């Protein structure tokens, strides 16, 4: 798949569970633009041309309550196996978060409003903003490592709620689902099965 350096690489994922580094394209492939990803999931995309520009990084950190750097690599990172398992678990956060890739690459997967996986192949310079309450997970790509700046806009603590009753019933999950109605033009509400239905 050919893309320019500042174009989001995104598509709907197939249902094959193995080989996390594969592309997992549906048949036929269903690629998505950054605008479609935002419409269907609330995830925003931006490209940062120079990830070593201190002024640009300071601008990103402005207004954030906390940030840290993640080195997710078998060779140089710490707690690699623990993080590999943790990041691959479908989870949400109660606060918005930003992720800027500064080296390597990985697959962020996010759920859309119909609970389908959207696969985002993020590389150096890619910045995504995840809304609070969205289910997501992370896999490394075939490079085997990723370095990123993680920014938290409303919290100083990184807390993940793995998908399950506690996460499904968290107030921020319902807020997230209901916020999508403004983008798709109909009121969506969470049901007990965490699917969406038209409000009556």
């Amino acid at each position: 798949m050919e893309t320019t350096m500042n174009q989001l690489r995104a598509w709907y994922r197939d249902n094959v569970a193995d080989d996390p580094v594969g592309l997992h394209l549906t048949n036929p492939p269903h690629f998505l633009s950054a605008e479609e990803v935002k419409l269907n999931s609330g995830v925003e995309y931006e490209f940062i041309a120079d990830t070593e520009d201190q002024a640009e990084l300071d601008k990103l950190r402005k207004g954030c309550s906390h940030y840290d750097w993640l080195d997710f690599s078998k060779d140089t990172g710490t707690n690699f196996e623990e993080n590999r398992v943790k990041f691959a678990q479908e989870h949400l956060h109660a606060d918005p978060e930003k992720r800027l890739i500064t080296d390597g690459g990985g697959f962020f997967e996010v759920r859309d409003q119909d609970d389908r996986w959207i696969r985002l192949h993020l590389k150096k310079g890619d910045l995504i903003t995840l809304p609070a309450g969205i289910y997501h997970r992370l896999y490394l790509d075939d490079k085997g490592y990723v370095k990123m700046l993680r920014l938290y806009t409303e919290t100083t603590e990184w807390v993940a709620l793995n998908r399950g009753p506690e996460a499904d019933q968290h107030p921020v999950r319902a807020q997230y689902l209901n916020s999508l109605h403004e983008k798709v033009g109909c009121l969506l509400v969470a049901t007990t099965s965490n699917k969406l239905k038209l409000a009556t």
Side-chain angles (χ1 to χ4, degrees):
M1 176 177 43
E2 295 294 327
T3 63
T4 60
M5 285 298 293
N6 59 351
Q7 179 181 341
L8 179 63
R9 297 158 294 276
W11 56 90
Y12 277 112
R13 189 194 200 281
D14 64 20
N15 292 320
V16 178
D18 60 352
D19 183 26
V21 300
L23 292 180
H24 288 284
L25 298 172
T26 55
N27 186 17
H30 186 164
F31 299 108
L32 298 166
S33 66
E35 292 76 17
E36 289 170 320
V37 169
K38 182 178 179 181
L39 177 70
N40 293 336
S41 70
V43 174
E44 298 182 16
Y45 171 78
E46 186 179 346
F47 182 75
I48 305 298
D50 186 355
T51 61
E52 296 180 5
D53 182 345
Q54 194 59 49
E56 187 69 43
L57 295 180
D58 289 342
K59 186 169 126 184
L60 281 176
R61 290 193 291 256
K62 187 176 182 182
C64 291
S65 58
H66 178 67
Y67 70 90
D68 63 20
W69 293 90
L70 174 69
D71 182 351
F72 184 24
S73 166
K74 188 173 185 178
D75 297 327
T76 61
T78 58
N79 303 320
F80 173 78
E81 190 57 29
E82 176 185 339
N83 283 335
R84 186 189 67 79
V85 173
K86 179 171 66 175
F87 296 153
Q89 297 235 354
E90 184 175 358
H91 63 278
L92 62 76
H93 304 286
D95 300 285
E97 55 182 326
K98 294 176 181 283
R99 299 289 182 263
L100 172 64
I101 308 302
T102 59
D103 201 4
F107 294 107
F108 264 89
E109 294 186 341
V110 299
R111 293 281 192 184
D112 77 352
Q113 77 271 10
D114 295 319
D115 217 33
R116 297 175 296 177
W117 281 118
I118 297 175
R119 195 162 172 87
L120 312 173
H121 191 191
L122 302 184
K123 298 183 180 181
K124 185 175 182 179
D126 290 335
L127 170 69
I128 58 170
T129 301
L130 300 169
I134 188 172
Y135 280 121
H136 60 283
R137 60 190 180 189
L138 168 66
Y139 299 105
L140 293 174
D141 65 13
D142 56 3
K143 290 184 177 179
Y145 73 97
V146 67
K147 294 181 181 177
M148 69 177 78
L149 174 63
R150 305 189 298 182
L151 303 116
Y152 310 92
T153 59
E154 297 177 12
T155 186
T156 59
E157 184 178 6
W158 189 83
V159 177
L161 291 176
N162 289 338
R163 187 161 190 173
E166 182 183 359
D168 287 345
Q169 295 165 17
H170 196 288
V172 75
R173 179 64 181 163
Q175 292 166 13
Y176 163 71
L177 292 175
N178 285 325
S179 73
L180 290 180
H181 84 276
E182 297 174 358
K183 300 177 179 67
V184 299
C186 59
L187 181 59
L188 301 174
V189 295
T191 67
T192 55
S193 63
N194 203 44
K195 298 292 183 179
L196 301 176
K197 67 177 183 180
L198 290 176
T200 55

